[in-house]
Structure formats: structure tokens, C-alpha cells
Amino acid sequence: MKAPSPRVHRLSPLERRYALRLCGLTLLLLLVSGVVQMLFSYRESLAQVEELQAVQAESAAREIGGYIAGIEAGLHDIAKLPWGQPGFGLEQRREEFYRLLRLAPAIIELQALDASGREQMMVSRSDPVRLGSGRGADEPALLRVSKEAPLQRGATYFRQAQMPTVRIAAYDGQGSIVATVDLRLLGEVVSRLRIGAGGLAYVVDGAGTLIAHSSATEALGRLDLSDLEPVRKARQAKASPVRLAGLAALDRFHRPVIVTAGEIPGSDWLLFIEQPRSEALKPALATLSGTLVLMLAGGTAALVLGVAFARRMAAPIVALRDTTARIATGQFDAGQPGPMPKLRHDEIEGLAEDFNQMASRLRELYASLEAKVAERTAQLSEARDVLTARADELSRLKDEAERANAAKTRFLAAASHDLRQPMHSISLLLGVLQSRLDRPEHLALAAKIQSSVATMENLFGNLLDISKLDAGAVQAHVEDVDLGWLLHRLEETWAPQAAEKGLRLRVRPCDAVVKGDAALLERIAGNLVANAIRYTRRGGVLVGCRRRDASVELQVWDTGPGIEPRYREAIFEEFFRIEAPGAGPEKGLGLGLSIVQRCAHILGHGLAVDSRVGRGSVFRLAMPLSGTATRTPRLAPLAPAGSPALLGRFIVVVDDEATNAQALVDALRASHCHVVAAASCDEVLAELEQHLRVPDLLVTDYQLGAGRDGFEVIRRLRHHYDDEIAALVVTANTDAALQALAAAHGARLLHKPIGLQRLLEAMQESLASAAAS
């Protein structure tokens, strides 16, 4: 018997209408909901971007304006002092200028101008103090300050063609005080703003020139943005904290962005914040994509479910219609039709059964999920306990490391002062002893002692230098350095030592001027030459320079044993030594090249080495060329000790270490100098009351006990004689701030230990400099 073929159910007209209406209504609701959601999401995203950018722009503008206002307030406070009255002369003005430079790091130069705009005084962070130069102001707008308008801000310009700068003038009752302010702080402020992944911020001045940017290199290009649409519209907008909010525009690369502009208080500068439009409106685009997917899925589901619901619901509706039709014909017994209650009962019962099954399944799933959550929570708690233990261990190790580092710092501070004092005494006493010996065998013995002391000083100095470099106590003072002067110093210092080993030191002249720190460059070059001499047995050492586009390469060649490739990196590590051909003190501690690498890193100069085993090595230091032709003056050749340069000079020695003072007094008297020595400032002033002659030179220790220092001696002696007496300050303190303090007092700073010969040479240089000025 054949099985009956399956019956194909065709939708009735009612089922088709029901299905079409249900699907159409569902799709219409999805479409309306999606459009409304997209519209609100777009407006909400745009409003959020506008609000965030406005807050960031207003906050950054207030920060920049507040900082500039603080500088103006400090400048105005100094200008209000009664200049020209008793007790408020040039010295007090200079001290106030230095105080303001310390309080406001952005100020790089202060000038005092008279009523005609002529310079009376200039104090700078990098240049020497100028007094009474009479230079005219190069910005006439700064001369318009008066009692009614006590502050005047000049136009922005680019110092050294790269660094944005502005001048601010304050009326001081007679003329004006002009501060030159470095505007790189603007770049620091805008670079801290976080504007999504691709957003940025920048500042333009009144002329539309870019003076700050999230990327520091952009501000160096001196870009003119006055024709950019956001800049033009911000200039045309009414003055307010926020000039533009959420402007849709194109950036200077013609990319669509959303821009907000804020006004920096007290200036005509504007701060702009921009973000790519695609990034800013990313939530709205995500909503659009989700809505389209939802509409597609909803339409498909609505079609399938509409057909299914139409099939399941059409039969009851038809039955209901039949029942109502029978009632309409007067068959009232149809009010209790046979099939209708059964259909309703079956559907409700089926729905209830389905719901109960669904609830039971959900309970099972919930219980399973709760068990998994408890298990995962236990695992996370265990992991948290392990991480906490490890964090405690790391904290303990960190504390131990910090204590060890503090102990190292205390030891180096004590060693820097306490060990330098006796070594300085040994150097001075040995120099006096050599001047008093006449027998050759005694002189030879003294020379050996001097060589050992020099070696000890060099090793000790290297140890302290490497510690200061690691501690970050050395800061670069970048200026224009004449390579001709540097090469002259190298030849003068190291040629005798090369000759002692039978080597020839050749130094090729060079007239280039580079950017760097003269002291650090001399330290780098000196260590490279000393290292080359130490490891070279025969032949010689060649020092020269070679131009490389916008830089100059200092090269030190030697004919030593060379360096194997496996040691090329290790030679820059502390205490690493390749066996030198010499022995004993020639080997050193292995710190010279480590100091060279650290100094080069501080300056940002490139350092490289090439070598061929058995042929020699070459070390290269790349230095950027300076944009100016200013050169560091070359020092005159030093006169030998006991030369006529010291003959008959009146020299004052102040040192609370009696041994050091007496050794120096004996050496100076051997050079036929007139010497007065004392242990304190009061004592030396009392001694000088018996002399009518003004001292030619003051040599003083820095730390004199009882809280006094050598700079106080310099000030009091100069005030006593009303004369700028040449001064030398000798100290065992290696604090980097002392160099700036000595420069402010017009004194030369020397660090102990220093040999007698070098000390006498420094005295001759100071006397020569004083005579030249």
C-alpha cells in the first residue's frame, strides 16, 4: 500500500494579508527606530565632542594665560621697587633679576632700559651680564609702557629661527624692564591634552603663525595658518573663552576634522583643538552599522515569524468568525461553540507548557552559571593573593634598593669632600717640596711621587665623575663652542704625555663652531685622547675634524692594538678593561670610555667606534654645527710656574686648612709674591688693614667653617676696596650649582685635588683675564 503524499499547505488570503501586515509593520518600526537612534546618536556624539573639546580648550587656555599672567605679575612686582633710590642700585637690580629668573624658568633674559630705550643692564641664563651697553630696543612697541599702561607685551618671534619667544615690558617709574620669555611651555601644555587617538592641539599668535603644537617639531617650522578656515572663523568670532565649538572643517592637509577654538586670556593668541571627523563620530557610525544589521535580521525574522504566526492564528480567527456568523443568524447556542474553547484551551496550555519548560531550562542554566562564577571567583582570589605576595616582595626589594642607593649617595658625598682635602694637601705640599729640592736623585724621587699622586687623582676623579653622571647631577650647558679652542687645549694638555711614551700627537686645526657644553666636550675629547695614548705602544695619535652636512665629526685615530668585535660594546661598560700593552697605572680602572658615553648621551651627540685588530682604532663624536660664527676665546699659552707673571703680585689666601694655606703661601713666596693668609673673612680683613695696596688676586676655599663660604669673602673684599678683585674659589664640593654661583660672582671655580703647578697656572690665567677686562 502506497504512503500518502505530503500535503502542501497554501496560505489563505487572510493568512497572506496577516503575514504581509505583520512584516510591514515590523520593518517600519525597525526603520523608524533605527533612523531616530542614528539621529540621536549623531547629535549626542557631536555634542560630546563639542563639550569635551570646549572644556579642554578653555582649561588649557586658562593654564597658559595664568602662567603668562604670573610672569607679568613677577615682572610688575620688580618694576614697582623704588629704583634709583638709595639701596636700590644696579647690584640690587641684578639680584632681583636673578631671583625672578629662578622663580620663572620660562624667562631667559631680563633687560633694564632707560626712558629713551637704551639698555642699562642685561641678565641672561646663557650670556654674561651686560652693564651700561647703551643698546637700543629692537621692538618699539615695548617702549610704550607708562604709568597708565604699566605692562606691554610684544609680538611673538622665533629666537634662533626655531624657538617661539615673546617679550614683556613693565614700567619701573623711569624706564622699563623687559623680560624675554621662552614659549616652549605652550608646547608642553598642549602636548598633555588627550584628544582621542588622532586628535591634536596647537596655538597661533595674533598674526596666525603657529607657535605651539602637540608635536614639538611642527612648531619649529614657523607655519603661517592665517588662511586656514578654523583660524579665519575664530578671528571673526566674538571675543569669548570659546570662540568656536565643534566646527566641521578641513585641516591644513585637507582632511575632515572637528575643531574647537579658545581664546587665551590677556592676549590675541588662540588655542585650537581638532579631531578627525571619522574618529569623533565613530559611535554614530557604529550605531548606523548596528541598525542596518538589526533591520536585515529583523526583516528576515519578521517574514518567517509572520508566516508562522499567520498560519497559527488564522484558524482561530476563522473559527471565531464562523461562531459570530452563527450567532448573527440567531443561533445563540453558538455562544458556547464546540471547538472554540478547545482551541483556546490547547493554545494556552501549550504556551504554559512551553513557558514552564523554558523556565526550567533557565533555572538549570542559571545554577550552572552560578557554579562556574564561584569557581572562577575562587581562582581569581587565589591569583590575587599570589600577586599581592609578589607585590609585597617587590616593594621590599625596592625599599632595599632605595636604601642602598641612599647609602651610596651619602658615601659619595662624604668621599667627594673628605678624600679630596688630604689629596689636595698632598699635591700642594709635593709641589712645595719639588721647588725646594736641588739634588737630582731627590728630584727624581719627587717626580715618581708626583706621578703616583696624579694617577691617584685621576682614578679618584673618574670614580666620582661616573657616580655623578649616573645620579643625574651633571647637566649640559649648551652654548657655541669653538673647535679650534678645544683642539688647542687637547694638544697643549696631552702632547707632553704622548712624548713621554715616545708617541707623536698630531692635532689638525679646525675653525668650526658647534653646539655643545665646552666642559663636557673637553672631558670627552680628553678621555678619548688619553685612552688612545694609553693603549698605543708605537706610532702616534691623530685628532681631527670632518664636516658631515649640518654636523662636524671629531675623530681620534690611534695605531694601537685595535679592538676585537666582541668587545665593541663592552668597552663602554664600567670597569671593563682590555689588557693594555703597558702595566701598572697605565691600565686605569676602565672608566674613561664609560664617562665618554654618558657625557655624549647627556649632550645628545652620536658616538661610534671602528677598529681593526693590529692596525688601530678610531672614535667618532658627531656634533651639530652652530648657526652663528661666535667662538669661545682661545686661552693664551700658560706661563711656567715661577715666571714673571706672578712676580711682585699681592695675593690674599683664605683657607681654614692650615696645611693647605701654608703650602700655597710658601709656593707663592718662592715665586716672589707678596702674600697675606688667614683662616676666615674677618681675619683677612684685619690683616689687610695693615696694607695700603689693593690685592691683585684672592684665592679662597669654599667651605670656611661656621657656615661661612668663600663667596662671602669675595663680596666683602670687593666691597671693602670698591674694586672687582680677581678671585679663585677652590673646593672639594662637587655640587653642579657652584659653577653658576661662581660665574655670578665673576670668579673661577677649581675642584680639589689640584696640583700646585695647575693652581699657579690658574692664578696666572685669572690675573691675565682681569688685566684684559
Side-chain angles (χ1 to χ4, degrees):
M1 183 177 178
K2 297 178 63 178
S5 60
R7 181 181 176 185
V8 179
H9 180 76
R10 300 177 62 87
L11 295 176
S12 65
L14 177 62
E15 292 175 337
R16 284 198 298 271
R17 290 195 302 272
Y18 194 93
L20 290 175
R21 290 173 182 175
L22 181 61
C23 293
L25 180 60
T26 303
L27 290 176
L28 179 61
L29 292 175
L30 287 174
L31 178 62
V32 172
S33 175
V35 171
V36 171
Q37 187 175 1
M38 284 190 295
L39 179 61
F40 278 96
S41 176
Y42 175 83
R43 291 182 177 178
E44 183 179 3
S45 298
L46 187 60
Q48 289 177 350
V49 170
E50 291 177 1
E51 182 179 359
L52 177 60
Q53 288 187 352
V55 170
Q56 290 178 321
E58 187 173 359
S59 175
R62 280 202 307 267
E63 181 178 352
I64 294 172
Y67 192 88
I68 297 297
I71 293 176
E72 292 178 344
L75 188 64
H76 185 57
D77 288 342
I78 291 181
K80 290 192 298 184
L81 295 177
W83 299 116
Q85 301 298 323
F88 292 86
L90 289 178
E91 182 65 25
Q92 287 73 21
R93 188 187 289 264
R94 181 172 59 184
E95 291 298 324
E96 288 296 322
F97 280 8
Y98 278 128
R99 183 181 66 81
L100 183 56
L101 287 177
R102 289 192 297 271
L103 293 176
I107 298 179
I108 59 175
E109 185 180 282
L110 286 168
Q111 293 175 284
L113 306 179
D114 60 17
S116 62
R118 297 293 178 180
E119 182 184 273
Q120 295 175 319
M121 175 188 290
M122 186 282 294
V123 173
S124 170
R125 293 186 182 273
S126 58
D127 297 326
V129 176
R130 289 199 304 265
L131 296 175
S133 67
R135 297 184 180 182
D138 56 359
E139 194 169 359
L142 299 177
L143 301 180
R144 293 198 292 267
V145 292
S146 63
K147 185 176 181 180
E148 291 73 22
L151 286 174
Q152 185 71 34
R153 187 181 301 177
T156 56
Y157 66 98
F158 285 79
R159 180 167 49 88
Q160 298 177 355
Q162 291 182 335
M163 290 174 282
T165 310
V166 69
R167 292 191 181 99
I168 303 174
Y171 181 68
D172 65 356
Q174 299 174 348
S176 59
I177 299 175
V178 179
T180 302
V181 181
D182 189 346
L183 294 181
R184 282 179 289 181
L185 67 96
L186 277 65
E188 297 175 3
V189 173
V190 298
S191 64
R192 292 198 301 267
L193 296 177
R194 294 293 176 264
I195 313 155
L200 54 87
Y202 57 91
V203 179
V204 300
D205 62 9
T209 303
L210 182 68
I211 60 175
H213 197 276
S214 295
S215 174
T217 55
E218 291 287 332
L220 303 180
R222 304 178 64 177
L223 299 175
D224 183 6
L225 304 182
S226 57
D227 291 332
L228 202 62
E229 181 185 3
V231 177
R232 285 190 289 103
K233 290 189 175 181
R235 291 294 179 202
Q236 296 168 0
K238 183 179 179 181
S240 63
V242 178
R243 293 284 188 92
L244 295 177
L247 174 67
L250 298 178
D251 65 5
R252 63 190 184 92
F253 300 106
H254 303 290
R255 295 174 300 198
V257 293
I258 294 179
V259 185
T260 296
E263 181 181 60
I264 296 178
S267 71
D268 57 353
W269 303 343
L270 294 177
L271 182 140
F272 292 85
I273 293 178
E274 68 179 34
Q275 188 177 11
R277 192 182 306 171
S278 59
E279 178 184 338
L281 301 179
K282 191 173 182 179
L285 296 178
T287 302
L288 173 62
S289 302
T291 302
L292 293 177
V293 172
L294 181 62
M295 288 178 62
L296 179 61
T300 304
L303 180 61
V304 174
L305 294 177
V307 173
F309 283 140
R311 287 178 176 178
R312 297 179 66 86
M313 297 179 69
I317 293 173
V318 172
L320 178 62
R321 181 177 181 280
D322 292 339
T323 301
T324 56
R326 286 195 300 271
I327 293 174
T329 60
Q331 300 177 12
F332 295 102
D333 57 347
Q336 298 290 332
M340 186 64 189
K342 183 178 179 180
L343 289 174
R344 292 186 59 195
H345 177 73
D346 289 344
E347 292 293 333
I348 294 173
E349 183 179 3
L351 181 62
E353 290 177 356
D354 292 342
F355 181 81
N356 290 334
Q357 291 178 2
M358 181 182 65
S360 176
R361 182 59 179 163
L362 285 175
R363 282 195 297 269
E364 293 176 0
L365 292 175
Y366 180 77
S368 174
L369 179 62
E370 192 174 41
K372 291 181 180 180
V373 169
E375 179 184 357
R376 182 65 64 187
T377 301
Q379 294 175 352
L380 291 176
S381 178
E382 182 180 354
R384 181 198 62 194
D385 295 339
V386 173
L387 290 175
T388 301
R390 290 182 179 178
D392 293 341
E393 178 66 16
L394 289 175
S395 178
R396 184 183 63 80
L397 294 175
K398 176 177 176 290
D399 292 340
E400 292 179 358
E402 289 178 349
R403 287 194 296 270
N405 188 55
K408 170 188 171 184
T409 302
R410 289 193 299 270
F411 166 74
L412 290 175
S416 177
H417 184 271
D418 297 341
L419 294 182
R420 286 177 183 269
Q421 288 285 10
M423 291 180 66
H424 182 63
S425 299
I426 292 171
S427 298
L428 293 181
L429 293 172
L430 185 57
V432 174
L433 178 62
Q434 286 178 310
S435 66
R436 295 181 178 180
L437 296 177
D438 53 3
R439 296 178 61 181
E441 60 272 19
H442 292 166
L443 289 172
L445 181 59
K448 293 179 181 179
I449 297 174
Q450 181 67 49
S451 176
S452 298
V453 170
T455 301
M456 182 170 61
E457 291 176 355
N458 183 54
L459 296 179
F460 178 66
N462 283 341
L463 281 172
L464 291 179
D465 285 346
I466 201 73
S467 300
K468 289 191 295 181
L469 290 168
D470 284 342
V474 178
Q475 301 294 329
H477 177 64
V478 179
E479 59 183 350
D480 292 337
V481 180
D482 180 11
L483 286 183
W485 166 83
L486 178 62
L487 296 174
H488 176 74
R489 296 277 291 183
L490 288 176
E491 184 175 19
E492 196 172 59
T493 303
W494 297 102
Q497 298 191 29
E500 288 181 4
K501 290 192 64 175
L503 305 174
R504 182 185 177 190
L505 175 63
R506 292 181 295 165
V507 180
R508 298 290 176 84
C510 178
D511 59 356
V513 179
V514 298
K515 281 289 185 183
D517 185 300
L520 291 180
L521 288 179
E522 186 175 4
R523 185 69 168 163
I524 292 172
N527 277 346
L528 290 178
V529 174
N531 194 68
I533 294 174
R534 177 180 296 116
Y535 283 90
T536 301
R537 177 173 294 175
R538 53 182 171 274
V541 177
L542 172 64
V543 182
C545 298
R546 178 169 294 178
R547 291 181 183 267
R548 303 286 190 187
D549 298 327
S551 64
V552 175
E553 200 172 75
L554 175 68
Q555 301 179 350
V556 179
W557 299 76
D558 65 59
T559 57
I563 305 169
E564 297 183 26
R566 56 179 175 156
Y567 295 139
R568 299 284 173 83
E569 298 293 334
I571 58 175
F572 295 104
E573 298 177 1
E574 303 94 330
F575 307 109
F576 180 85
R577 298 181 300 181
I578 301 175
E579 290 299 322
E586 289 184 351
K587 293 184 179 181
L589 284 179
L591 293 175
L593 290 180
S594 181
I595 292 174
V596 166
Q597 187 183 52
R598 283 165 168 78
C599 291
H601 178 72
I602 290 174
L603 292 171
H605 295 349
L607 180 66
V609 58
D610 290 322
S611 183
R612 296 179 63 183
V613 177
R615 299 293 298 274
S617 305
V618 55
F619 288 83
R620 299 182 173 90
L621 178 70
M623 302 166 289
L625 277 169
S626 172
T628 65
T630 305
R631 297 193 173 106
T632 305
R634 179 179 295 186
L635 298 177
L638 299 175
S643 70
L646 295 176
L647 182 62
R649 295 287 191 171
F650 183 17
I651 299 177
V652 175
V653 177
V654 182
D655 196 332
D656 59 348
E657 290 285 339
T659 304
N660 293 349
Q662 189 58 48
L664 183 56
V665 168
D666 292 343
L668 291 173
R669 287 176 177 168
S671 298
H672 306 289
C673 295
H674 180 51
V675 186
V676 170
S680 67
C681 183
D682 294 332
E683 290 182 20
V684 78
L685 286 173
E687 288 284 339
L688 290 174
E689 289 294 337
Q690 305 174 19
H691 299 268
L692 298 177
R693 180 178 174 187
V694 178
D696 295 306
L697 177 65
L698 167 62
V699 181
T700 177
D701 194 5
Y702 170 61
Q703 294 174 320
L704 297 176
R708 302 298 179 90
D709 59 56
F711 295 114
E712 179 188 2
V713 179
I714 295 173
R715 291 193 299 269
R716 292 181 63 180
L717 258 67
R718 287 176 175 173
H719 182 268
H720 179 76
Y721 287 103
D722 194 20
D723 191 2
E724 290 295 318
I725 303 172
L728 273 176
V729 179
V730 184
T731 180
N733 192 326
T734 58
D735 189 350
L738 291 181
Q739 188 65 50
L741 191 57
H745 285 79
R748 185 170 182 178
L749 184 70
L750 300 176
H751 288 94
K752 298 178 181 179
I754 180 172
L756 179 60
Q757 178 65 25
R758 183 68 190 101
L759 182 56
L760 294 176
E761 291 172 354
M763 294 167 63
Q764 295 166 19
E765 293 173 4
S766 296
L767 288 169
S769 298
S773 60

